[in-house]
Amino acid sequence: DAGITQSPRHKVTETGTPVTLRCHQTENHRYMYWYRQDPGHGLRLIHYSYGVKDTDKGEVSDGYSVSRSKTEDFLLTLESATSSQTSVYFCAISDPSRAFYGYTFGSGTRLTVV
Amino acid sequence: QKEVEQNSGPLSVPEGAIASLNCTYSDRGSQSFFWYRQYSGKSPELIMFIYSNGDKEDGRFTAQLNKASQYVSLLIRDSQPSDSATYLCAVSFGNEKLTFGTGTRLTIIP
């Protein structure tokens, strides 16, 4: 997956617990994104980052926070997991200095909140 | 709100035929358009991208843009069973973030 790794790949957690998902890239791309994918909704942007300590909200950011202290790592935290956050989470990277900036996606994290 | 719409399908096409997938977008100022392929249980994979200045052909795949009607299409010639997947259309509305459609599920029938 072009040097982008998500961990864990699968996780089951209980309602009300905090959960952190990790995205690690070795491509030195400036831009990183977190999406969730649900049936009937497609991919929806949660948060994104244009550089270290430069993050912003996407369209479905409620209940999520992010941090980016290093270029290579982008962490997504569910502050208090709810069943509505059961989903597949994808991290993506892009580099605006390239001729095109289509995303490269990680393998995804399947999260189940019970 | 910027929107990208696709027919969810499923779209069934005989092997060897042309598969045609369409996507409409809401912002006339959109400049970049992407097609991703996603196999079941896998992550999306970029297969085609075009800018607002023209169509593009890459092997069996052709992406076409109709700016006046605000839709972009993906044609797959000589469809193969390995083309069976969900195809996601994505549009850049003038910045680096992509907005995705919900995807069209394509099934190639042997």
Side-chain angles (χ1 to χ4, degrees):
Chain A
D1 288 324
I4 177 170
T5 305
Q6 290 185 234
S7 58
R9 292 295 309 276
H10 303 273
K11 185 170 182 66
V12 179
T13 192
E14 293 185 348
T15 298
T17 60
V19 177
T20 295
L21 309 182
R22 183 186 185 225
C23 179
H24 178 78
Q25 57 133 338
T26 58
E27 303 296 315
N28 201 34
H29 284 1
R30 281 178 52 202
Y31 294 1
M32 300 185 75
Y33 312 83
W34 277 107
Y35 282 83
R36 60 177 290 175
Q37 188 173 39
D38 305 287
H41 291 279
L43 285 160
R44 292 181 291 175
L45 182 64
I46 305 171
H47 280 281
Y48 59 98
S49 170
Y50 286 167
V52 174
K53 298 189 189 307
D54 183 5
T55 64
D56 207 345
K57 298 178 180 180
E59 63 179 298
V60 291
S61 61
D62 287 349
Y64 301 94
S65 62
V66 290
S67 66
R68 191 165 178 204
S69 59
K70 297 184 291 185
T71 299
E72 58 266 35
D73 289 325
F74 193 31
L75 303 180
L76 175 71
T77 297
L78 288 66
E79 293 146 5
S80 177
T82 68
S83 58
S84 65
Q85 293 176 312
T86 293
S87 185
V88 179
Y89 291 85
F90 286 105
C91 176
I93 60 174
S94 69
D95 185 348
S97 66
R98 300 176 61 184
F100 75 97
Y101 52 89
Y103 295 176
T104 300
F105 284 89
S107 299
T109 295
R110 183 174 295 275
L111 177 68
T112 303
V113 183
V114 298
Chain B
Q1 181 162 346
K2 308 286 199 275
E3 294 183 341
V4 178
E5 296 189 355
Q6 297 180 254
N7 186 323
S8 61
L11 175 65
S12 296
V13 174
E15 183 175 357
I18 296 175
S20 177
L21 300 101
N22 294 315
C23 164
T24 61
Y25 58 94
S26 62
D27 185 356
R28 194 174 292 276
S30 300
Q31 297 180 337
S32 303
F33 308 87
F34 303 81
W35 283 100
Y36 284 81
R37 178 177 62 201
Q38 186 176 25
Y39 293 114
S40 180
K42 301 296 185 181
S43 59
E45 171 193 15
L46 181 66
I47 57 171
M48 288 286 285
F49 70 95
I50 55 173
Y51 295 120
S52 59
N53 59 350
D55 302 341
K56 184 176 181 179
E57 180 176 323
D58 184 2
R60 296 186 296 113
F61 297 90
T62 299
Q64 298 176 322
L65 175 64
N66 185 320
K67 294 173 67 175
S69 299
Q70 294 178 225
Y71 76 82
V72 57
S73 61
L74 178 69
L75 302 178
I76 306 175
R77 290 181 299 281
D78 187 24
S79 296
Q80 303 296 310
S82 60
D83 295 326
S84 297
T86 295
Y87 289 80
L88 305 173
C89 173
V91 178
S92 170
F93 292 111
N95 55 37
E96 291 75 17
K97 297 193 294 295
L98 298 184
T99 298
F100 288 83
T102 54
T104 298
R105 186 156 56 94
L106 174 65
T107 300
I108 306 302
I109 303 169

